[in-house]
Amino acid sequence: MLDKFITPVIKPLLTPIVATLHKLGITADQLTVAGFLIGMLALPLLAFELWYGALAAIILNRIFDGLDGAMARYAQQSSSAGGYLDITLDFSFYAAVPLGFILANPAQNAIAGALLLAAFIGTGSSFLAFAISAEKFQLDKPQFKYKSFYYLNGLTEGTETIALFIALCIWPQQFVLLAGIFATACAVTIFTRIHGGYHTLKQLESTK
């Protein structure tokens, strides 16, 4: 929901950093992989209840995630392969964070963590599946033209997810409550994406 507002603010801030990294010969794919490896450090850090260390890993991962896309555009390296690498590693990272909280306290966090993971699968699959059909119909991406594929909007997007992760690291004792609230919001996103996506595609098919 907030991505379309946050991204235009952040993108100009990344340009000087990207320009410097480009001069050093660093590629967008290298930034993607480096950010993923840093982000995955959050898993053991969370499992051992090193909350602020995990928070640092999460924030760095998100910085790298912004840098890789900015680098791809700056260096004109945008590609389907790079977009594929980025989104698959992103979702692996997203899944690792709830898993870390589950490992930290299985008795308390397992059910809420499982619900959160299920919600992530629903939100991810609902827009990735639509992206396949959007490519077929060559739909425009008016709000996310910088993305490698079509992003179907929703109540819970990247910005909201990272806000959740930050909140969980600051208030880990509230994991069950926060995960439950976010999973519910994800359920709304899943419903609206499936409903909107289905009817959009039906309408497009009827006009062909």
Side-chain angles (χ1 to χ4, degrees):
M1 181 174 67
L2 297 177
D3 285 7
K4 62 184 177 182
F5 303 110
I6 299 297
T7 301
V9 176
I10 295 176
K11 284 173 63 178
L13 302 177
L14 300 177
T15 302
I17 302 174
V18 165
T20 301
L21 293 174
H22 181 61
K23 291 179 181 178
L24 296 175
I26 297 173
T27 67
D29 289 349
Q30 289 172 341
L31 290 172
T32 298
V33 174
F36 170 72
L37 295 175
I38 293 171
M40 290 303 291
L41 291 174
L43 176 57
L45 290 169
L46 290 169
F48 287 103
E49 302 185 9
L50 300 172
W51 311 122
Y52 288 103
L55 177 59
I58 290 169
I59 291 174
L60 285 172
N61 170 272
R62 292 298 86 197
I63 292 173
F64 273 77
D65 186 61
L67 288 172
D68 64 2
M71 175 65 79
R73 293 185 295 274
Y74 180 86
Q76 298 182 338
Q77 299 170 341
S78 297
S79 67
S80 296
Y84 170 78
L85 180 68
D86 181 52
I87 197 64
T88 52
L89 294 186
D90 273 354
F91 271 93
S92 297
F93 160 72
Y94 288 152
V97 174
L99 179 58
F101 281 96
I102 292 171
L103 295 174
N105 191 336
Q108 175 181 304
N109 296 340
I111 293 178
L115 287 173
L116 192 56
L117 286 169
F120 284 173
I121 291 172
T123 54
S125 61
S126 61
F127 82 76
L128 288 173
F130 184 83
I132 297 171
S133 297
E135 184 71 21
K136 173 184 174 182
F137 288 104
Q138 298 182 327
L139 296 182
D140 290 332
K141 301 176 284 185
Q143 294 171 325
F144 298 104
K145 292 183 179 181
Y146 56 90
K147 294 293 187 181
S148 300
F149 49 85
Y150 195 102
Y151 265 57
L152 194 61
N153 290 342
L155 181 62
T156 52
E157 297 174 344
T159 301
E160 291 81 10
T161 303
I162 299 311
L164 169 71
F165 289 170
I166 292 172
L168 290 174
C169 290
I170 296 173
W171 300 290
Q173 68 278 7
Q174 300 298 329
F175 176 82
V176 174
L177 175 62
L178 293 173
I181 292 172
F182 197 81
T184 302
C186 285
V188 175
T189 296
I190 295 166
F191 173 79
T192 56
R193 281 179 174 169
I194 293 174
H195 182 273
Y198 175 80
H199 286 285
T200 297
L201 295 175
K202 286 288 287 186
Q203 183 176 11
L204 289 170
E205 288 173 340
S206 67
T207 58
K208 286 184 69 69

